[in-house]
Amino acid sequence: MAKELWFAEYHDDNTRLGMRVTRELVAMQSEFQAIEIFETPTFGRVLTLDGLVMLTEKDEFIYHDMIIHVPMAVHPKVQNVLLIGGGDGGSLRELCRYPEIEQIDMVEIDSEVVNQCRRFLPQVAAAYDDPRLNLIFADGLKFVRHNTDKYDLIVIDSTDPFGPGESLFTKEFYGNCHRALRADGILVNQHESPYYPADAEEARLIYQRLTATFPLVRVYQAHIPCYPSGHWLFGFASKRWDPLQDFDAERWNARGLYTRYYNTDLHTGCFQLPTYVKELLESGVE
Amino acid sequence: MTESGKARPVPPERLRRILNGTLLGQGNEIPDYEALFPGNPQAKAPLYEAVSLYRSKRIVPFDVPGHKQGRGNPDLRAFLGEDCLTVDVNSMKMVDNLIHPTSVIREAEVLAAQAFRAADAFFMVNGTSSAIQGMIMSSLNPGDELILPRNVHRSVINSLILARGTPVYVNPGVHTGLGIPLGMSPAEVAQTIREHPRAKAVLVNHPTYYGVCSNLKEITRLAHEAGMRVLVDEAHGTHFHFSPDLPVSAMEAGADMAAVSLHKTGGSLTQSSLLLLGEGVRSDAGYIRQIVNLSQTTSASYLLMVSLDLTRRLLALKGREIYDRVIKLANYARSEINQIGGYDAFSNEKTDGDAFYEFDLTKLSVHTRSIGLAGIEVHDLLRDEYDIQVEFGDLGNFLAIISVGDRAVVIERLIAALVEILERYGKEPSGLLANEYVKPIVEMTPAEAFYAKTDLLPLLAAEGRIAAESIMCYPPGIPILAPGEKVTKDVIDYIEYARAKGSLLTGTEDDKVEYLHVVRL
C-alpha cells in the first residue's frame, strides 16, 4: 500500500490535528507567507497559511456566516464596509448578499492568497467580480490610518497575531479603526480561541485592547471543527448599536437569506459565553 | 507537511512565522556564502567555522566552562538552547585566544579590518566602552590633554580617569529649535588646537546619539596638521561603513582609531564590538593590543566573538542592500510621521554645514514639543499603552533606532501609535528648556579629583569647590559637571533650572542629586 500523506496542524506544543491529504494543489511561498491548498477526504479542499488552517470547504460557512451576518443583523443600514484580510473571499461573498451595501473596500496584504483561492476555491472566492468591490493590496493598518468617519462596518478577517497579521491585533490598529468608523459604526473581528493557553492569552489581549478603545464590546462564539479546539470567538465592538438590544430579528428574517449556520435564534445565544471564557476575558480588564 | 512522528520543541510553522518578514527573508539556515559569492574573501567566517568544527567533533571537555557544553546546567540549557551552550567554550588551540590571537580569531579580525577598510581591527568583548578605553589609554600618557566635545559618553570621562588624562572641552552647538546638542564646529576645533597645541588627540562623536555628525574629514585634517590623533566614538555608526548615502565613516575620513558598536546597529550580540585602527597607527598595533589587554577579560566569550564574525560577513556581503532598506524604512517613517501633524521627524534639512554637518538617516529622531508632550512622555506612552519600546526620550524628542532587524509592519505600528497618541494625549505646545552652554573650568584632572579625599556637601553649598563626581542632565544629554571641574554659580543655577524644568539628573552617588562629593580642601 502506498504511504499515506498526512497534514498535521499545530494546535499547541503537544497537540496536532491530522488530516489525510489526497492531493496537493498549491504549495508556494509568497512575499508574506507560505500558502498551501490541498484536498482531504473529510474536509474537502483546505487552505493553510504558514501551516495554519484558514478554512476548509466543508466548514467555512460557519466562520463566514458568523463574522458577517451577526453585525449585519444589528446595524440598521450598512452602506460602506471595510474588509481587512479575508483574501479567500468568503467574507466578501456573504457581504455581497446585502443589496444596501454600496461599497466594499477590501484590503488584503497578499495578492497571492486571492489569486490561488480564485483558482482553487471558486465557491469561496465567489464574489470578486461584484462591482461594489474595491480591492486593495496593502497593509491594513496603513490603509485604515488614512480614513476618518467613513465606514459603517469594519470586518477584520485576519490570520493569527504572528506573521503578516500581527499589527491587526494591536491597540493602535483598533484606535485607528475607531476613527475610520462613522459615529454608529461597528467593528467585528476574528477573536482567537479561548481554549489553548497561547490562543487564550491572545483572546484576552484582544478583548482588553478593544474595551480600551470602544464604548461597547461583546464577544460571541461559534463551533468551527477545523480550528484549534473547535471553539472560536468573534469580537463585536461598537460605537452605538448593542448586538442584543438593537438586534431586529424580524427585519433580518424578512430579507429571506438562507444561511446554514446563522439564524436569529442563534444570534441571541451566541453571545452567551461559558463561565471560563467570561473569566478569561474579564481578567484583563480593569 | 507530512507527519514527522516526533514532537519538536519549536513547531517549524511557528518559527517560520516569527522569522517571516525580516529584512533578509531567509529561513533558519545559514546560506552557503562561498558558493553565492565565489572568490570573495569576505564570504569566509573563520572563527564561526572553527567553533562549528569544534562542536561537530564532540570533544570531551575536561576544561572550563564547568557547565560542560550545557550538561551541568539544565535550566540554562533549557532557556538558551543546547546549540548555544555547546559553543560557549574557552580559549583552546582549535579556536584561538583573544589575548594573543594567532589563528582563527586573527583571521577573523583581518577580515573585519578589510570589511571596514581599516588598517587593523580588534574584536572587543567588553563592550564599546572598552574600545573607547583602548583608544584613549593608548594615545595619552598621564597628564596629556585630549580635545573632546562636551557631550561625550560617560565611558570617555571614565577612560580619562584611567588614563589620568586632562580633558579640553569644545562646546557642542545646541540646536535651539530641537534642544539637542550638536557636533563640533571645525572653527572651534581649530581654535582649541591653537590654544592647546600639545594635546595628543581629538575625540569625535560620530554620530551623536541623535544622529548628528560633525565635519569629520575637516576635523581630521586639522588634527593631523597639528600632529594629533583623531579618535572616533563611532558606537552609533557601524552602518556608515556600508552605505554611500550615510555620513562618511571614520576610516574613510582618515581617522586614526574608531570604536564601533557592531551590536548597536549591525546585528551582533550585545556587548560585542570592534576597535578599528587607521593607517596612522598601523605600526602601533602591538602596543594598542597590550593596552587593550590590560583590562580585557582572559575568558572572552565565543558567543560574542562568533557573533562578530558572522555579522562582519553579513554586512560585508549584503550591508549595502540591508542599509538601503533601513534608510528607506526610516525615510518612509519620517515622511508619514510628518504628515500626522505636530511631530517633527527631522532629517537632513536641519544640517547647517557646521556643527550639524551631516545627519544619520537611520536615526528616527522625532521632536514632540509641538504636540504639548515631552519626548519622554511619548516614549512612556508608546511602551505602556502600545507595547512599543523606543531607544530613549528626553524633554523635546524621542529616538527610535531603525536597524537590520526592522520590518515594514512594525514601522506601521509605530506610526499608527503616534497618530493615536496625538489624538488621545496631545496638548497645547509648550516652551522648551533653553540650553545655555556652561563652559567647564577644569581645575584638576578627572583622575586627581576622582581619587582625592572628598567632602559631601549640599549642592548649594558647593560653590567654589572642585567636583569629585559627574552630574549629567537629560536633556540635553551633556555633563554639567565632570570630576575635576569647578562648581560655579552658573553651574548650580543651571542644575536648578534644569531640575525645575523636569530634566533627569544623574551621575552622583546621591540619587536625588541634592548632595555632591567635592574635593577636600
Side-chain angles (χ1 to χ4, degrees):
Chain A
M1 195 180 96
K3 202 162 195 275
E4 290 186 340
L5 185 62
W6 282 75
F7 169 79
E9 193 205 22
Y10 172 90
H11 282 191
D12 84 347
D13 283 346
N14 304 299
T15 316
R16 305 271 174 134
L17 172 70
M19 289 187 253
R20 192 162 71 81
V21 175
T22 48
R23 187 156 71 119
E24 184 157 64
L25 300 165
V26 177
M28 67 174 294
Q29 179 74 39
S30 77
E31 187 188 342
F32 302 97
Q33 54 205 339
I35 304 171
E36 287 169 88
I37 300 176
F38 48 84
E39 281 179 351
T40 64
T42 312
F43 284 98
R45 291 188 177 181
V46 176
L47 166 70
T48 71
L49 298 178
D50 280 346
L52 297 182
V53 173
M54 292 296 117
L55 62 82
T56 79
E57 272 183 325
K58 287 289 156 73
D59 70 356
E60 56 89 9
F61 69 98
I62 304 174
Y63 177 90
H64 294 126
D65 270 12
M66 291 304 279
I67 201 164
I68 299 302
H69 299 304
V70 170
M72 289 304 294
V74 174
H75 196 294
K77 194 175 186 198
V78 174
Q79 292 176 311
N80 262 320
V81 180
L82 172 60
L83 170 59
I84 293 176
D88 52 71
S91 294
L92 176 67
R93 179 192 65 202
E94 295 306 310
L95 281 169
C96 287
R97 300 173 74 185
Y98 291 87
E100 74 270 28
I101 292 177
E102 291 169 359
Q103 178 160 337
I104 303 168
D105 289 341
M106 176 170 168
V107 182
E108 162 63 52
I109 199 163
D110 194 344
S111 61
E112 276 306 326
V113 173
V114 174
N115 293 341
Q116 300 305 333
C117 290
R118 291 190 76 166
R119 187 158 167 224
F120 292 105
L121 291 162
Q123 279 79 35
V124 184
Y128 276 111
D129 295 323
D130 193 292
R132 293 169 295 175
L133 170 66
N134 173 31
L135 178 59
I136 303 138
F137 294 111
D139 179 285
L141 177 57
K142 179 178 177 182
F143 180 86
V144 79
R145 175 155 57 81
H146 291 288
N147 289 282
T148 305
D149 195 22
K150 183 170 176 190
Y151 298 106
D152 305 299
L153 174 64
I154 295 179
V155 178
I156 304 165
D157 180 0
S158 66
T159 56
D160 293 334
F162 307 91
E166 70 176 71
S167 62
L168 307 182
F169 293 84
T170 61
K171 198 170 166 186
E172 55 272 24
F173 175 64
Y174 297 142
N176 284 213
C177 285
H178 185 273
R179 193 168 35 260
L181 282 169
R182 287 178 173 161
D184 66 344
I186 295 171
L187 176 152
V188 288
N189 71 337
Q190 183 280 93
H191 203 295
E192 298 287 301
S193 162
Y195 187 72
Y196 291 115
D199 296 334
E201 174 60 13
E202 290 302 328
R204 194 181 68 83
L205 286 172
I206 295 167
Y207 185 71
Q208 189 182 56
R209 290 168 186 160
L210 282 176
T211 50
T213 310
F214 285 87
L216 194 157
V217 180
R218 299 279 180 271
V219 170
Y220 61 100
Q221 62 191 342
H223 173 241
I224 302 175
C226 73
Y227 282 2
S229 84
H231 183 190
W232 214 257
L233 302 180
F234 297 87
F236 185 107
S238 170
K239 290 186 173 182
R240 186 198 293 174
W241 306 115
D242 184 293
L244 298 175
Q245 285 165 24
D246 297 309
F247 161 59
D248 188 338
E250 273 178 41
R251 188 178 67 208
W252 194 83
N253 283 322
R255 293 171 179 275
L257 294 175
Y258 173 70
T259 45
R260 274 179 72 207
Y261 192 86
Y262 179 79
N263 60 55
T264 49
D265 295 334
L266 180 86
H267 184 108
T268 312
C270 72
F271 284 91
Q272 312 312 319
L273 300 176
T275 308
Y276 89 94
V277 179
K278 282 187 186 176
E279 287 171 353
L280 168 76
L281 297 175
E282 292 304 329
S283 68
V285 182
E286 285 127 33
Chain B
M1 57 174 225
T2 45
E3 173 64 82
S4 70
K6 187 184 159 209
R8 288 166 151 215
V10 182
E13 48 274 56
R14 284 250 161 175
L15 193 64
R16 193 163 55 186
R17 285 190 293 169
I18 293 160
L19 290 169
N20 202 350
T22 60
L23 273 179
L24 306 165
Q26 125 192 342
N28 200 24
E29 276 158 24
I30 298 179
D32 182 354
Y33 287 109
E34 290 190 68
L36 290 170
F37 298 87
N40 187 337
Q42 291 289 329
K44 285 197 164 303
L47 182 56
Y48 155 73
E49 285 152 20
V51 171
S52 300
L53 183 66
Y54 165 84
R55 173 154 63 194
S56 70
K57 288 186 105 153
R58 303 167 65 94
I59 284 175
V60 179
F62 278 106
D63 59 352
V64 295
H67 65 62
K68 303 286 174 99
Q69 300 166 350
R71 289 179 197 88
N73 195 336
D75 296 353
L76 190 61
R77 189 183 57 203
F79 179 60
L80 291 177
E82 192 180 336
D83 284 355
C84 179
L85 287 190
T86 52
V87 295
D88 181 41
V89 295
N90 192 39
S91 295
M92 66 186 102
K93 186 154 189 291
M94 267 185 92
V95 293
D96 209 355
N97 185 336
L98 185 62
I99 293 288
H100 182 64
T102 54
S103 62
V104 285
I105 292 178
R106 189 59 199 145
E107 286 167 40
E109 287 183 334
V110 168
L111 284 169
Q114 285 163 1
F116 284 82
R117 293 181 177 73
D120 210 334
F122 297 164
F123 278 14
M124 306 298 290
V125 293
N126 299 26
T128 305
S129 295
S130 67
I132 300 261
Q133 265 180 33
M135 296 198 302
I136 291 176
M137 291 171 66
S138 63
S139 301
L140 267 59
N141 282 328
D144 283 345
E145 287 177 329
L146 174 69
I147 296 172
L148 69 171
R150 186 61 166 168
N151 53 330
V152 288
H153 189 254
R154 67 190 321 154
S155 63
V156 173
I157 307 275
N158 293 344
S159 299
L160 279 171
I161 293 175
L162 293 171
R164 294 186 167 269
T166 305
V168 177
Y169 290 109
V170 175
N171 174 14
V174 171
H175 193 284
T176 44
L178 301 172
I180 61 170
L182 300 175
M184 289 191 290
S185 143
E188 291 225 25
V189 173
Q191 175 67 24
T192 311
I193 288 176
R194 273 194 297 276
E195 289 165 9
H196 298 268
R198 298 171 65 180
K200 285 291 187 295
V202 179
L203 184 131
V204 188
N205 294 320
H206 193 69
T208 67
Y209 216 165
Y210 297 86
V212 172
C213 289
S214 310
N215 185 345
L216 186 58
K217 274 187 178 160
E218 179 59 13
I219 290 172
T220 302
R221 193 186 65 76
L222 290 167
H224 283 174
E225 223 172 59
M228 299 176 191
R229 277 187 184 173
V230 175
L231 314 178
V232 180
D233 179 352
E234 211 171 26
H236 293 273
T238 302
H239 43 298
F240 291 180
H241 295 263
F242 301 99
S243 168
D245 301 323
L246 293 171
V248 65
S249 72
M251 289 299 117
E252 228 180 313
D256 297 290
M257 290 194 240
V260 180
S261 253
L262 209 53
H263 71 85
K264 282 201 173 74
T265 55
S268 67
L269 287 177
T270 295
Q271 206 173 310
S272 65
S273 184
L274 286 177
L275 175 58
L276 302 181
L277 310 191
E279 282 304 330
V281 297
R282 182 192 281 273
S283 56
D284 294 326
Y287 175 69
I288 296 167
R289 171 91 67 191
Q290 281 193 312
I291 293 286
V292 166
N293 280 344
L294 282 179
S295 56
Q296 178 148 279
T297 173
T298 53
S299 308
S301 161
Y302 279 80
L303 301 176
L304 297 180
M305 291 191 289
V306 168
S307 87
L308 286 171
D309 198 27
L310 287 177
T311 307
R312 181 274 313 157
R313 175 167 74 179
L314 189 61
L315 295 184
L317 298 175
K318 299 176 100 174
R320 176 79 191 268
E321 178 191 329
I322 289 169
Y323 290 112
D324 275 356
R325 244 197 106 176
V326 171
I327 294 168
K328 270 202 198 100
L329 282 175
N331 283 344
Y332 168 76
R334 264 188 287 275
S335 112
E336 293 290 312
I337 289 169
N338 286 333
Q339 281 173 44
I340 297 172
Y343 299 101
D344 181 6
F346 55 90
S347 179
N348 281 329
E349 78 282 350
K350 294 277 194 292
T351 57
D352 60 6
D354 194 33
F356 195 160
Y357 187 74
E358 284 185 286
F359 180 69
D360 172 4
L361 292 170
T362 71
K363 299 282 187 293
L364 183 57
S365 298
V366 183
H367 188 65
T368 61
R369 292 304 277 190
S370 30
I371 67 160
L373 295 174
I376 185 69
E377 291 179 285
V378 175
H379 164 280
D380 290 351
L381 285 166
L382 284 169
R383 183 195 56 215
D384 297 342
E385 297 294 322
Y386 301 98
D387 298 329
I388 295 172
Q389 179 67 55
V390 294
E391 177 75 12
F392 75 85
D394 67 23
L395 269 194
N397 310 274
F398 72 82
L399 171 68
I401 304 271
I402 313 292
S403 188
V404 293
D406 280 306
R407 301 165 296 155
V409 60
V410 294
I411 299 283
E412 292 299 340
R413 285 194 56 184
L414 176 63
I415 299 164
L418 291 175
V419 171
E420 286 297 292
I421 286 173
L422 174 64
E423 186 106 331
R424 298 179 68 163
Y425 306 97
K427 289 185 282 212
E428 283 304 301
S430 53
L432 182 60
L433 173 66
N435 280 302
E436 278 179 38
Y437 180 66
V438 183
K439 197 170 167 57
I441 302 171
V442 179
E443 297 272 0
M444 55 175 74
T445 66
E448 284 166 334
F450 183 83
Y451 292 116
K453 289 205 168 16
T454 62
D455 296 319
L456 185 62
L457 295 183
L459 186 59
L460 296 172
E463 190 181 331
R465 303 289 290 270
I466 295 168
E469 51 187 353
S470 301
I471 297 182
M472 289 288 297
C473 168
Y474 300 92
I478 297 182
I480 306 174
L481 271 178
E485 291 173 11
K486 189 165 184 179
V487 185
T488 61
K489 180 157 191 315
D490 281 353
V491 165
I492 296 172
D493 287 350
Y494 187 95
I495 293 169
E496 292 309 320
Y497 173 72
R499 193 199 304 277
K501 283 281 179 180
S503 274
L504 177 67
L505 297 167
T506 64
T508 53
E509 223 175 84
D510 170 27
D511 292 344
K512 297 188 180 125
V513 195
E514 286 165 356
Y515 286 83
L516 179 70
H517 279 285
V518 295
V519 175
R520 189 167 291 172
L521 293 172

